[in-house]
Amino acid sequence: MNLFLIMFFLHCVDDFFLQGMWLSNGKQKSWWEKNAPDEKYKYDYLAALFIHAFEWSAIISIPLIFIGLNPYILFGIFFVNGCIHAYVDNLKANKHKINLIVDQSIHIIQIIITCVGINLCGH
């Protein structure tokens, strides 16, 4: 339970505070089309999307370092959570398929599944 609470707190800090307005806007393809319409910036929203997703994954994974998790498992968790976060944020920011409530629910479920998996591994 403590692991979940720490990871949830770090999620809130990163997704709502550390992300900032620019990165939040930069994840949106429409922002680039409006503010940097040059063809060379066409896919720059993807860089912002992945930077945020992997930053979020790194931040929520910090507690896993301190419980002595195998580095390969830690990297796997980091990578999978980062990919899922990028996919979900793209669904919200660019595809407009989900809203903030669904987005945040999925991220919280990611944390729950991570914690359950860690507990099943005996940590």
Side-chain angles (χ1 to χ4, degrees):
M1 183 61 144
N2 287 339
L3 181 61
F4 170 77
L5 292 175
I6 294 167
M7 290 176 76
F8 178 75
F9 172 76
L10 292 171
H11 155 74
C12 293
V13 168
D14 187 78
D15 235 19
F16 294 103
F17 179 70
L18 295 178
Q19 178 175 198
M21 186 57 73
W22 186 90
L23 196 51
S24 179
N25 287 330
K27 296 186 306 185
Q28 299 174 47
K29 185 177 182 180
S30 62
W31 185 91
W32 290 93
E33 292 169 345
K34 205 179 307 175
N35 294 288
D38 193 301
E39 185 70 19
K40 68 182 170 190
Y41 303 116
K42 184 176 181 177
Y43 298 107
D44 281 9
Y45 75 97
L46 292 172
L49 195 63
F50 281 100
I51 286 168
H52 166 66
F54 285 99
E55 168 202 35
W56 175 87
S57 187
I59 294 289
I60 68 152
S61 295
I62 289 171
L64 304 180
I65 296 167
F66 296 103
I67 63 171
L69 202 58
N70 177 301
Y72 296 108
I73 294 172
L74 180 60
F75 178 78
I77 290 169
F78 161 79
F79 184 77
V80 170
N81 275 332
C83 289
I84 293 169
H85 195 97
Y87 181 78
V88 169
D89 276 13
N90 191 54
L91 287 177
K92 178 177 56 86
N94 297 304
K95 304 290 185 186
H96 307 289
K97 299 282 185 186
I98 62 174
N99 61 19
L100 181 63
I101 293 169
V102 173
D103 168 84
Q104 290 301 304
S105 297
I106 293 169
H107 298 327
I108 293 166
I109 290 168
Q110 285 181 258
I111 294 169
I112 292 169
I113 290 170
T114 300
C115 289
V116 168
I118 297 301
N119 284 330
L120 290 175
C121 290
H123 284 280

